Amino acid sequence: MDLILRGGTLPDGRKDIDIGIEGTRIAAVEVDLPASAPEEIPTHGRLITPPFVDAHFHMDATLTAGRPRHNATGTLLEGIAIWEELKPSLRHDDYVARALRYCDWAVARGLLAIRSHVDTTDPELTGVTALLEVREQVKDYLDLQLVAFPQDGYLRSPIGIGNLNKALDMGVDVVGGIPHFERTQAEGTESVQLLCKIAAERGLRVDMHCDETDDPSSRHVETLVSETTRLGLQGRVAGSHLTSMHSMDNYYAGKLIDLMVEADLHVVANPTANLLLMGRRDTYPKRRGMTRVPELIAAGLNVSLGQDSVMDPWGPLNAADMLDVAHMAVHAGHLSGRDEIRACFNAVTESPARTLGLDGYGLEPGCHADLVVLQASDPVEAIRLRPTRLFVIRRGRIIARSEESEVNLDIPGRPSTTDFTIQ
Ligand code: FE2
């Protein structure tokens, strides 16, 4: 073996596990692995997980908060307006520098795969060119998957159709859309139909911003799953945000969930982003605006969580930590049962790996040796503490490491340190 992690706990609960790595792959996962390696890391029962995966992000806009101004109303629409003001001034090197800085943060958090939407309604496609370059630059340490996202509308923007096709020709991976931002419900429907057809013809996956609105009568999820089934795209299509489902009539939501199951739709909820953006015109009670995560998980759908925004016109906070997102989902979705908290951990690891179609992801022999050791004992504690990532390993190489964190105390009669655990 080239590297062995000794005595870890796995997300499924297995304990005292050794993980042996040969080259870039996991070679063994067992108790008391009878082998040695030049480097052996004792993990002392700490959680070893495959890397975090962000199913929904906007890397072209990240780290621009305050340029040219902050979002005063906190709404999705003001965010879009600020992005429109900023976009013409953004240059290639600016996109690249921000994206690379963000990817450093991601690696430090054990976040090694990101699906990022990239705005294709910039006339010069500067962001697309830049993020394609970044995808190449980071590929040895982070999987970046790009979605062609017509921010100003596929039909509503005069360059929406042409530029989306150009972006796909340039090598963008996934077909995106924003039907609720088209001028009418009918044009939103038409955009979903056209975009799914493009995906079917090109053999690509789809990830659509869909019904990111408080409007309970928005019906684009219905069209998305109907087109998915009609075109045989089952399992290849993701619906992102889906916040209208929060406000829908329960009877209709039940019918829609059945259709989503039929289409094997991947669901991506973005709790940190949508708790800020939605319900802004409500008085009290204020809707939370997160889609129906518990019901969607219960229906057997593959539900992932995404960060959406980190310091951009839509969200001023966040710092590349998918455990922050899972923590928010627990609270916003009433997901406080032990199995539900574990499901939220799954929604930032295994589930988004499936949504992105990542090859060789997991903790079985033969999988890529991509691993994160956390200063926590299990997934529930990981979400509670959002702890230090002690080791981040990519293809068998340690690419980030941190010291264990604890606080020194000086209180007579009390222990000299605490680390927020109960042991
Ligand atoms: Fe988004």
Side-chain angles (χ1 to χ4, degrees):
M1 301 285 171
D2 298 308
L3 174 64
I4 298 176
L5 305 181
R6 295 280 185 193
T9 300
L10 305 189
D12 64 10
R14 280 180 283 166
K15 291 186 183 302
D16 301 320
I17 298 294
D18 296 343
I19 298 181
I21 296 167
E22 279 180 351
T24 63
R25 299 271 175 178
I26 294 172
V29 179
E30 57 192 69
V31 177
D32 295 329
L33 176 65
S36 62
E39 183 163 14
E40 300 200 11
I41 300 173
T43 66
H44 307 293
R46 296 271 162 65
L47 178 63
I48 306 174
T49 177
F52 296 105
V53 181
D54 188 346
H56 189 108
F57 191 54
H58 293 262
M59 199 174 281
D60 51 358
T62 197
L63 312 191
T64 63
R67 296 168 57 188
R69 60 192 173 85
H70 289 283
N71 187 333
T73 62
T75 59
L76 177 70
L77 294 180
E78 184 173 348
I80 293 174
I82 293 170
W83 177 240
E84 294 312 310
E85 292 167 31
L86 176 63
K87 204 160 49 172
S89 71
L90 291 176
R91 301 288 172 262
H92 179 90
D93 290 354
D94 183 289
Y95 280 107
V96 172
R98 285 185 289 103
L100 290 177
R101 173 173 290 233
Y102 179 79
C103 289
D104 294 342
W105 296 4
V107 167
R109 301 287 198 193
L111 167 56
L112 300 187
I114 300 171
R115 174 179 275 184
S116 174
H117 296 253
V118 54
D119 187 353
T120 56
T121 50
D122 155 30
E124 307 302 323
L125 289 171
T126 310
V128 171
T129 307
L131 287 197
L132 285 167
E133 186 180 308
V134 169
R135 185 180 70 183
E136 186 64 21
Q137 276 196 50
V138 303
K139 70 179 181 192
D140 287 343
Y141 58 92
L142 187 148
D143 294 308
L144 176 59
Q145 191 177 82
L146 298 175
V147 184
F149 174 52
Q151 172 75 71
D152 299 346
Y154 183 63
L155 298 174
R156 185 168 171 174
S157 165
I159 59 172
I161 294 174
N163 268 18
L164 185 128
N165 275 315
K166 265 189 221 162
L168 296 176
D169 290 342
M170 288 163 71
V172 170
D173 307 283
V174 178
V175 179
I178 185 166
H180 53 276
F181 191 70
E182 304 294 350
R183 286 194 178 85
T184 64
Q185 179 78 22
E187 289 189 358
T189 302
E190 187 185 350
S191 77
V192 174
Q193 291 165 339
L194 292 169
L195 289 161
C196 287
K197 184 161 174 275
I198 289 171
E201 287 170 355
R202 288 180 179 251
L204 297 177
R205 292 171 187 267
V206 176
D207 189 333
M208 214 165 282
H209 283 64
C210 206
D211 288 348
E212 189 181 8
T213 165
D214 290 319
D215 177 1
S217 62
S218 202
R219 289 289 181 265
H220 300 304
V221 183
E222 176 184 281
T223 308
L224 183 64
V225 290
S226 160
E227 288 304 291
T228 299
T229 302
R230 192 176 70 79
L231 294 167
L233 293 171
Q234 290 94 332
R236 304 178 57 79
V237 176
S240 280
H241 295 287
L242 314 181
T243 59
S244 62
M245 291 186 72
H246 186 100
S247 301
M248 278 172 186
D249 168 74
N250 288 330
Y251 181 86
Y252 175 70
K255 177 194 172 190
L256 182 58
I257 289 171
D258 286 346
L259 294 175
M260 293 163 74
V261 170
E262 180 186 41
D264 195 9
L265 187 76
H266 297 267
V267 171
V268 184
N270 301 293
T272 50
N274 285 129
L275 259 73
L276 284 179
L277 294 170
M278 315 316 291
R280 287 282 180 166
R281 294 193 183 183
D282 292 357
T283 55
Y284 286 93
K286 291 180 189 285
R287 287 169 288 176
R288 299 175 180 206
M290 187 167 83
T291 193
R292 302 186 182 210
V293 169
E295 291 77 10
L296 295 169
I297 292 174
L301 287 157
N302 187 50
V303 178
S304 303
L305 301 171
Q307 219 174 178
D308 203 15
S309 288
V310 174
M311 299 180 71
D312 71 13
W314 296 273
L317 303 181
N318 289 337
D321 192 348
M322 295 310 297
L323 289 173
D324 280 341
V325 180
H327 189 267
M328 188 66 73
V330 167
H331 291 83
H334 288 165
L335 288 158
S336 53
R338 302 285 292 180
D339 288 346
E340 292 173 318
I341 298 174
R342 286 192 197 95
C344 288
F345 188 86
N346 208 46
V348 292
T349 51
E350 297 277 347
S351 296
R354 280 177 59 199
T355 300
L356 270 64
L358 293 181
D359 179 41
Y361 181 93
L363 285 180
E364 303 307 317
C367 291
H368 291 303
D370 298 348
L371 301 162
V372 181
V373 182
L374 293 146
Q375 192 182 346
S377 58
D378 61 36
V380 176
E381 190 170 80
I383 291 178
R384 181 175 71 84
L385 296 177
R386 288 151 285 154
T388 300
R389 281 59 165 172
L390 300 170
F391 296 93
V392 179
I393 297 168
R394 168 81 170 184
R395 305 297 195 257
R397 194 171 79 80
I398 300 169
I399 60 170
R401 66 171 88 201
S402 301
E403 296 297 317
E404 293 191 17
S405 67
E406 61 180 12
V407 179
N408 292 314
L409 299 175
D410 186 4
I411 305 170
R414 298 301 306 151
S416 59
T417 62
T418 188
D419 61 2
F420 307 99
T421 66
I422 56 171
Q423 283 142 13

